Amino acid sequence: MSLGYFQKVEGKIHTENVKKYGFDLVRRLTGGRAVLHDDELTYSIIVSEDHPSMPKTVTEAYKVISQGLLEGYRLLGLEAEFSIPEGKLNQTGSAVCFDEPSWYELVLNGKKAAGSAQTRQRGVILQHGSVPISMNFDELFDMFVYPDETKKERAKQVLKRKATSMEVEMGRKPAIREVEKAFSHGFEKGLGVHFEPYMLTDEQEEEVQQLMKEQYESDEWNYSR
């Protein structure tokens, strides 16, 4: 499970249940609310802010990058659309990411189908997100803190009305390779690029592992908000 950069753990996340279900808790660099990374495709796009195809505003850049998600869904035969909320989003106070769609997030039949977030640091844009293949609502809601079971069940039913997955919309559960292929081609088409595989060098891999151990696995990073 990944937490938004500013999201609090205490009083929001049921850390014992996160462990009970076999998940780890990590904090990502982007904002927003918690995402359970389970049966899904996770994507990351990194591009320079100076790239000629990148708009200067976060919202418009989000739309450009998310075009790859739109094309990926369409290659799976799903008619996805961009969400364009009317007025200000409802402030539900929920800790669950998929509770509300934001500008230019992907919806299927009016329900949120993917969750994404973006940050800009040192002249570089990072956009990443979760594209659910299926969703286990019972496990998901056991990992959040609610005052009582009635409020938890009510929140669960609300999310079921607002969020969906590929399995629900396709009437079958697609294999991960099928999903990977569709979204890889979708991003190529949506962004007008051709991807080339890249392997980290031994030195780069060592640097990644060191950074992970020294910062991103630490309790100070993941719990101190």
Side-chain angles (χ1 to χ4, degrees):
M1 173 180 285
S2 72
L3 303 173
Y5 183 77
F6 298 103
Q7 191 172 20
K8 294 183 181 297
V9 174
E10 186 174 356
K12 295 291 186 180
I13 309 298
H14 199 310
T15 55
E16 290 303 314
N17 281 353
V18 172
K19 295 176 182 177
K20 182 182 78 173
Y21 285 114
F23 294 100
D24 292 318
L25 192 66
V26 298
R27 188 175 297 279
R28 59 183 184 267
L29 292 170
T30 54
R33 293 173 283 184
V35 178
L36 177 62
H37 300 282
D38 188 10
D39 188 19
E40 63 165 24
L41 176 74
T42 304
Y43 80 92
S44 296
I45 296 291
I46 300 170
V47 61
S48 170
E49 287 187 279
D50 295 329
H51 193 285
S53 297
M54 285 296 107
K56 297 303 181 184
T57 67
V58 172
T59 302
E60 290 306 309
Y62 195 94
K63 180 182 180 182
V64 169
I65 296 173
S66 295
Q67 187 70 34
L69 294 173
L70 187 73
E71 297 295 345
Y73 276 115
R74 289 177 175 175
L75 287 171
L76 289 172
L78 295 169
E79 286 303 313
E81 299 175 309
F82 285 133
S83 65
I84 304 178
E86 295 182 4
K88 192 175 182 180
L89 286 175
N90 294 329
Q91 299 299 311
T92 63
S94 172
V96 186
C97 173
F98 279 76
D99 193 59
E100 293 286 353
S102 300
W103 283 92
Y104 301 128
E105 286 195 307
L106 276 295
V107 294
L108 293 168
N109 292 320
K111 295 184 177 183
K112 183 171 178 175
S116 300
Q118 188 184 122
T119 187
R120 297 179 180 219
Q121 298 184 22
R122 301 178 185 178
V124 176
I125 299 171
L126 164 66
Q127 182 170 314
H128 57 187
S130 166
V131 186
I133 296 173
S134 68
M135 298 180 74
N136 186 323
F137 289 96
D138 292 332
E139 282 192 7
L140 173 63
F141 277 84
D142 276 352
M143 297 184 210
F144 295 93
V145 175
Y146 288 91
D148 54 58
E149 288 299 315
T150 299
K151 287 185 172 59
K152 179 164 73 172
E153 185 59 32
R154 186 181 301 139
K156 188 188 302 183
Q157 295 308 316
V158 168
L159 184 63
K160 286 182 177 180
R161 294 195 299 270
K162 292 181 176 181
T164 191
S165 65
M166 294 179 206
E167 182 179 38
V168 170
E169 300 301 324
M170 296 175 73
R172 65 180 180 87
K173 186 175 177 179
I176 184 63
R177 293 300 302 166
E178 179 184 0
V179 175
E180 289 173 345
K181 182 178 179 180
F183 280 88
S184 177
H185 291 322
F187 273 110
E188 287 184 323
K189 182 178 180 181
L191 299 178
V193 297
H194 175 68
F195 292 133
E196 294 287 347
Y198 178 80
M199 297 294 294
L200 296 178
T201 64
D202 290 342
E203 290 77 14
Q204 289 170 329
E205 181 66 34
E206 184 177 343
E207 183 179 355
V208 168
Q209 293 298 321
Q210 182 177 355
L211 185 60
M212 181 176 67
K213 291 176 182 177
E214 293 180 355
Q215 180 169 342
Y216 296 114
E217 286 185 344
S218 71
D219 288 348
E220 182 180 3
W221 171 264
N222 290 313
Y223 290 89
S224 61
R225 292 291 187 280

